[in-house]
Amino acid sequence: MRLVIIGGGPAGNQTATTAARLGIDVTMIERDIVGGAANLWDCIPSKAMIATGGARSYLQRMGGMGLQCLDGTLDLDALRQRISSITRRLEETNTQILTSQNVELVRGTARLDGPHEVVAVTGEGERRIHADAVLLSTGSRPRLPDWVELDGDRILTTRDAYPPPVLPEHLVIVGSGVTGVEFVHMFSSLGCQVTLVVSREQVLPSKDPEVAAVLEADFLRRGVRLVKGARAVGIERVGAGASDGAGASDGAGAGAGDGAGDGAGASDGTGAGAGVIVHCDDGRSIRGSHALLAIGSVPNSEGLGLETVGIDVDAAGHIPINHHCQTVVPHIYAAGDLSGKLPLSSVASMQGRKIAEHVVGGHSVAHRHLNYDKAASAIFTEPEIADVGMAEADAFAEGRKIRVTKVPFAASPRGLIDNDPRGFVKIISDPATGVVLGGSIVGHNAAELIAVLAVAVTAGLRVSDIVESMLVHPTLSEALAEAAE
Ligand SMILES: Cc1cc2nc3c(=O)[nH]c(=O)nc-3n(C[C@H](O)[C@H](O)[C@H](O)COP(=O)(O)OP(=O)(O)OC[C@H]3O[C@@H](n4cnc5c(N)ncnc54)[C@H](O)[C@@H]3O)c2cc1C
């Protein structure tokens, strides 16, 4: 049995290692780096930049902890080297694991040529590989609207930002979903002035309003300007002296109704030098030194030879799959961002594990179906935001009775000790059985703390199981037990 994997991101990697452990012959074809976009462009470099920004903010908070504030001057070259060394190290580790498991690694670009044939175009030419099963895990790339021309210099995507050659004086970020707000946090904590264009009235429009409110308050405290209810429709590059004629009315527009309260005129820090103007559909325009687009991603489903096997993509370009991650051709699977389920590295990896088990044949290993509703997710802002399972809004929509309990970290000894008492823990449970249905955590290390609730939701634990766990004191996790009371 040979499994051929096209794309070596989290989905491809996890499928390869689990399948190899289960005794399947695996060939993985990757055109770029092992570890995928997750390692090269997305999860890892973004979190490495955020870690540096977080360390800088931490130094600035030291004053409140009895220490003199230390200098947080940024060395962009050192930061760039640090990010590439983390990426390289992870690629080496991933490659070692795969080769130690006898996974055959092929460097090249691959496509299907009929149901059991994969063609890999490598540096040495074309190679045809017979496949008993195939995984398509080619990931996604940033979505680019037709109203903007990127230049990789002042008009950027997330992929140009690790870090850019110079730190923007004033970065205008378009897109207020998870990626947009993480980049707001990243660049404002590195010392840039940031304006966020928010198409609705709330950042993170799909999140609990209470959670989004904590983040908005933190952004405003740091001087981030929120331009709400505005959709960007164009970005123009402007040179020295061109700003006035271009009709930029940044300060006036941005201040109105968004609570930012800066009310400033052309206070973008860019003066009349080179920069950008982001034009919005309501006539407002925002001038900055740079603009960054974070408006979602598109799947890499072109050029995969899908027509040779009769697989159609949906309107967004994703490959539809069933609960085993099979496409309409049962021995061809799709996973990760290409499959249009939750675009998370953790979900892609879990799909990979399940696919390998399914390829082996479900019976030889204990196989539980994936339940995407139970995936934990986090937003690496400051404070961090993490949630899992059912949200209050979901319960109301379903007309379901729930019990909601909430404890603020302001009451936590650890929060006070660490001089960071922001945020709260919220637990949603079934009032009749006490089973934990979901929860949200906003605060320091929320992305780590959510693990407790993720296990509870997946395992069907009750609030009493959390209450009766003897946790370490003084820690933030004690707030979980209190919220479970
Ligand atoms: C800025 C940003 C930050 C993110 N941060 C997080 C985070 O903190 N946590 C989280 O869980 N998720 C995060 N995500 C989402 C996460 O990166 C994706 O969900 C994840 O990378 C999807 O994994 P994948 O295996 O589908 O594909 P990818 O990681 O995109 O890998 C696909 C691979 O396929 C290769 N490939 C494509 N076509 C071919 C071909 N024809 N032949 C051979 N190889 C091919 C590509 O080179 C690539 O290496 C983030 C996303 C973004 C944009």
Side-chain angles (χ1 to χ4, degrees):
M1 156 77 79
R2 176 157 299 276
L3 168 66
V4 178
I5 299 172
I6 305 181
N13 251 293
Q14 185 64 56
T15 310
T17 50
T18 309
R21 183 168 49 76
L22 296 174
I24 298 176
D25 292 329
V26 182
T27 298
M28 190 167 92
I29 306 147
E30 168 54 53
R31 68 179 178 194
D32 215 335
I33 79 164
V34 175
N39 185 11
L40 189 59
W41 306 113
D42 301 344
C43 317
I44 304 304
S46 64
K47 268 69 256 184
M49 291 264 290
I50 286 172
T52 296
R56 192 169 177 274
S57 316
Y58 187 67
L59 288 178
Q60 286 165 345
R61 283 206 307 275
M62 291 285 101
M65 296 178 76
L67 286 174
Q68 256 191 357
C69 191
L70 303 164
D71 181 22
T73 308
L74 186 65
D75 179 341
L76 273 188
D77 287 334
L79 176 57
R80 193 170 296 109
Q81 276 164 26
R82 174 177 141 76
I83 292 170
S84 71
S85 82
I86 296 173
T87 299
R88 231 184 5 255
R89 174 98 182 261
L90 288 173
E91 186 188 18
E92 280 164 17
T93 309
N94 283 332
T95 307
Q96 272 162 16
I97 293 171
L98 291 171
T99 45
S100 72
Q101 290 183 310
N102 297 322
V103 171
E104 184 194 18
L105 264 176
V106 178
R107 302 283 173 173
T109 301
R111 65 175 192 277
L112 290 162
D113 189 13
H116 288 283
E117 197 89 339
V118 172
V119 178
V121 181
T122 72
E124 289 87 49
E126 223 176 69
R127 187 175 147 201
R128 290 186 165 266
I129 306 162
H130 173 82
D132 299 296
V134 178
L135 168 64
L136 304 171
S137 50
T138 50
S140 63
R141 60 188 186 277
R143 189 164 82 77
L144 303 177
D146 54 12
W147 44 260
V148 70
E149 218 171 287
L150 293 174
D151 59 11
D153 172 27
R154 289 191 177 267
I155 305 176
L156 314 169
T157 71
T158 55
R159 295 191 172 185
D160 305 307
Y162 299 128
V166 291
L167 207 57
E169 269 177 276
H170 177 185
L171 181 64
V172 183
I173 296 182
V174 177
S176 61
V178 173
T179 303
V181 298
E182 285 193 347
F183 275 74
V184 169
H185 166 53
M186 181 191 294
F187 280 96
S188 72
S189 60
L190 291 174
C192 304
Q193 184 185 339
V194 179
T195 296
L196 177 65
V197 181
V198 186
S199 60
R200 313 261 183 90
E201 289 306 316
Q202 170 189 311
V203 300
L204 297 172
S206 60
K207 290 281 174 196
D208 182 336
E210 206 173 357
V211 168
V214 177
L215 186 61
E216 286 191 13
D218 193 71
F219 281 171
L220 296 178
R221 183 189 58 76
R222 296 200 231 169
V224 172
R225 289 164 52 192
L226 304 176
V227 180
K228 288 188 172 180
R231 228 165 243 288
V233 289
I235 303 178
E236 111 185 67
R237 242 191 104 132
V238 285
S243 61
D244 298 341
S249 60
D250 63 339
D258 58 12
D262 56 6
S267 62
D268 55 18
T270 56
V276 295
I277 298 177
V278 176
H279 296 282
C280 300
D281 58 352
D282 60 359
R284 279 183 280 178
S285 51
I286 307 130
R287 183 173 171 136
S289 64
H290 295 72
L292 184 139
L293 289 168
I295 53 169
S297 58
V298 286
N300 294 323
S301 51
E302 308 88 352
L304 285 179
L306 300 178
E307 65 290 351
T308 69
V309 290
I311 295 176
D312 290 324
V313 297
D314 66 17
H318 296 117
I319 296 184
I321 53 169
N322 68 11
H323 60 277
H324 292 304
C325 300
Q326 291 168 292
T327 66
V328 288
V329 183
H331 71 278
I332 302 181
Y333 298 77
D337 287 5
L338 182 65
S339 68
K341 300 293 180 188
L342 285 178
L344 289 173
S345 179
S346 47
V347 170
S349 300
M350 189 56 78
Q351 286 177 314
R353 185 183 299 276
K354 297 291 172 187
I355 289 166
E357 291 172 0
H358 194 255
V359 171
V360 166
H363 304 297
S364 50
V365 282
H367 184 90
R368 263 197 288 185
H369 285 171
L370 265 174
N371 184 344
Y372 298 99
D373 293 338
K374 293 184 175 176
S377 66
I379 306 175
F380 292 84
T381 43
E382 206 183 283
E384 287 181 357
I385 295 171
D387 50 31
V388 65
M390 183 174 280
E392 264 178 296
D394 303 336
F396 289 131
E398 284 177 24
R400 180 172 181 160
K401 274 198 179 150
I402 50 167
R403 176 172 177 255
V404 182
T405 44
K406 189 178 149 192
V407 167
F409 284 124
S412 150
R414 183 82 248 173
L416 295 174
I417 291 166
D418 288 345
N419 195 26
D420 193 356
R422 290 173 293 180
F424 57 83
V425 174
K426 193 194 264 189
I427 297 182
I428 294 164
S429 58
D430 184 315
T433 62
V435 168
V436 179
L437 302 172
S440 313
I441 303 178
V442 180
H444 184 59
N445 273 344
E448 301 284 351
L449 292 172
I450 201 72
V452 174
L453 296 183
V455 171
V457 167
T458 301
L461 299 182
R462 292 161 203 274
V463 278
S464 57
D465 295 315
I466 300 178
V467 174
E468 287 167 21
S469 305
M470 285 183 271
L471 304 176
V472 175
H473 175 74
T475 57
L476 291 179
S477 54
E478 288 173 301
L480 289 168
E482 280 175 46
E485 283 274 10

